Amino acid sequence: MFGLTFEKLLIIGVIAVFLLGPERLPTYAAKLGQFTRTLRDMANGAKDRMREEMGPEFEEVDWKKLDPRQYDPRRIIREALLDDEPAPAIKPVTESAYAQRQRKLQVGSVPPFDTEAT
């Protein structure tokens, strides 16, 4: 959560001990606990209110599908581009088409793409 690992939290705690001192640390720890409980109660209250307002539809919503962490911008763009009709594939040159072109060219003649350059 927020990129905080155990080591970072431990460093923050050690710095807090040095800055606050042993006299004030229990008071601030209690305030932090109270703030955490207040945030949790607010989140639960918002969830309960949403459940009341939505009614039975609240349970039908797939909340994991709405989680923004699952979105990969590259996948979204790829899917958006592929939603349109796919462009027709380029027809590969077959040996028969190549052989037909060679028959049209006579020995010693200049291919058509070279005639424009001169």
Side-chain angles (χ1 to χ4, degrees):
M1 184 174 156
F2 303 116
L4 293 176
T5 60
F6 179 73
E7 293 84 15
K8 290 178 184 176
L9 290 174
L10 185 63
I11 291 172
I12 291 171
V14 169
I15 291 172
V17 168
F18 282 116
L19 290 178
L20 298 175
E23 302 85 26
R24 292 185 288 177
L25 189 61
T27 305
Y28 284 103
K31 286 182 181 181
L32 178 65
Q34 184 181 8
F35 178 71
T36 305
R37 279 189 296 277
T38 304
L39 281 177
R40 186 180 59 219
D41 292 341
M42 286 174 55
N44 286 336
K47 187 176 179 181
D48 292 339
R49 183 173 174 183
M50 194 169 184
R51 182 175 282 127
E52 288 173 9
E53 290 181 6
M54 288 183 71
E57 295 174 3
F58 182 81
E59 301 302 327
E60 296 172 6
V61 175
D62 185 12
W63 295 107
K64 289 182 181 179
K65 190 176 181 182
L66 300 174
D67 186 8
R69 293 175 289 184
Q70 73 173 342
Y71 296 116
D72 179 21
R74 293 171 291 192
R75 182 183 53 83
I76 293 170
I77 292 172
R78 184 175 43 245
E79 288 176 359
L81 292 174
L82 293 178
D83 280 347
D84 298 336
E85 293 181 18
I90 298 174
K91 195 167 133 181
V93 176
T94 60
E95 230 176 284
S96 62
Y98 179 74
Q100 289 174 359
R101 184 159 186 245
Q102 289 300 319
R103 271 185 273 148
K104 287 181 183 177
L105 294 175
Q106 297 174 358
V107 178
S109 66
V110 180
F113 53 85
D114 287 341
T115 56
E116 294 176 19
T118 58

